[in-house]
Amino acid sequence: MSRVLRRIAFFACAGVVLLTGCSSSSATPLDGVTESHDDGDGSDGVGSAGAGGAEPGGAGGAEPGGAPDVDGAPDAACDTLSAELQGALDAAVEAQRLPGAAAAVAIGGCSWLGAAGVADAEADVAIQPGDLFRAGSITKSFVATLALMLRAEGLLSLEDSVSTYVDGIPRGEQISVRQILNHTSGIFNYTGMDEFWTAALEDPTHTWTPAELIELAASKPPYFEPGQGFAYSNTNYIIAGLLVEAASGEPIGELLRTRVLEPAGLAHSYLDGAEAALPGLVHGYGRSRGELVEMTSALHASAAGAAGALVSTSSDLARFYRKLLDGTLLGPDELAEMTTWVDTPPGQVNGYGLGLSRRESPLGVQHGHDGGIWGFTSSSYYAIDSDASITVLVNLEGADVGRVVDDLSRVLATP
């Protein structure tokens, strides 16, 4: 397993998430995002169709069955769309030889949850739409949301230097909070370092402190002067976690739960390593010589921390992004800051904001995030013009989730 782990470098070199390639000057993130309709009744507005199933045991009740008649949409039209989406997901799992995938889609009056493949390859247990996955870099959208909430309350300024809040950050007096959140700080990515992987593989159970990860990154020269480029760095969001803790006076796990998870009704999400785990996490895998390799808990969650330790479901992520981008969680000023884009190298996205990325799709411009972490990849986006959200979670490292998102987007774009 160590050879597989070293090859993928989980959220550093997944290759199909946020940015293409993996070099010393730009690294790919952990993970993805999307939104779903809120029916105003405490549900997330995403019904399960095709694959059916319940949320994980102990995490809540079963999802509603069938494609619901939302906002007057004809049942027959939603049923037809659900069948086409399930067919596209089945085909994607087969084409990429994925262990399994779960997806959430909402457009207009129709919403759908689907799943294909297995949650446990050895036991041949089928994935259910409500199963839990590691979400990887989707965590960054949550942490950026916390930072912007604190900004709205006057507890944090995007233009302040990092050293205003946190000591011990290399060049902290020169780097702004904004530059941390949009990856223009120039700080080296710790997951792109041999030293990190050597230590992680020697002791996979090691509990990493943010200070340890930052110290590793500080041992390498910066990619560029602050504000003079873009380089995706997981170190930025390890620092972002410390920033929101310092500005709020609360641990990030408690802050995330009280400020985002509970208010948004995300009952099936948690920050791994910072709070108690929920049951229902599917098995995650890598590939070695064509064979699946178990990687569900290959490293301690603290190795990802505020950069990627979130665990969630497709419906919870859909609900989060809907509430984020419709102004429920953030006000217009904060959303404007979050969607102020900086240029990114050529790849799957064409702009990065504050914990949010922008990409083109068959449905037009989509906002969201991608992710890849040990054993898992994910992608979740919301198409502004068509009011369509798509989330795809896969229990295989390095899966081309962007391709699956586009496959589902084409189904929605077809008249």
Side-chain angles (χ1 to χ4, degrees), residues 26 31 56 80 108-109 142 161 165 172 190 195 203 219 227-228 250 253 258 265 294 303 348 354 373 378 411-412:
S26 67
D31 322 295
T80 298
F142 284 74
S161 67
Y165 306 94
Y190 73 93
E195 293 88 342
D203 183 6
S219 69
Q228 299 304 304
E250 300 176 48
T258 58
E294 169 74 41
Q348 290 193 353
L354 305 183
I373 195 168
S378 54
V411 171
L412 301 183

Side-chain angles (χ1 to χ4, degrees), residues 11 30-31 136-140 190 232 234-235 237-238 304-309:
F11 47 147
L30 307 152
D31 322 295
S137 279
I138 294 175
T139 310
K140 293 178 172 65
Y190 73 93
Y232 192 96
N234 289 300
T235 315
Y237 273 77
I238 297 298

Side-chain angles (χ1 to χ4, degrees), residues 298-311:
L299 297 181
H300 192 275
S302 59
L310 186 74
V311 174

Side-chain angles (χ1 to χ4, degrees), residues 208-244:
W208 294 85
T209 66
E212 286 178 297
L213 299 174
I214 293 167
E215 183 179 359
L216 273 173
S219 69
K220 298 290 186 180
Y223 296 128
F224 45 74
E225 291 301 307
Q228 299 304 304
F230 174 92
Y232 192 96
S233 173
N234 289 300
T235 315
N236 283 324
Y237 273 77
I238 297 298
I239 295 170
L242 295 178
L243 286 171
V244 298

Side-chain angles (χ1 to χ4, degrees), residues 7 38 48 56 70 74-75 122 142 173 179 181 188 213 215 231 242 278 285 378-379 394:
R7 184 183 76 247
D38 183 0
S48 73
V70 180
D75 284 333
E122 185 175 356
F142 284 74
E173 299 82 7
Q179 290 164 346
L181 296 177
F188 202 90
L213 299 174
E215 183 179 359
L242 295 178
L278 296 174
Y285 298 95
S378 54
S379 186
V394 174

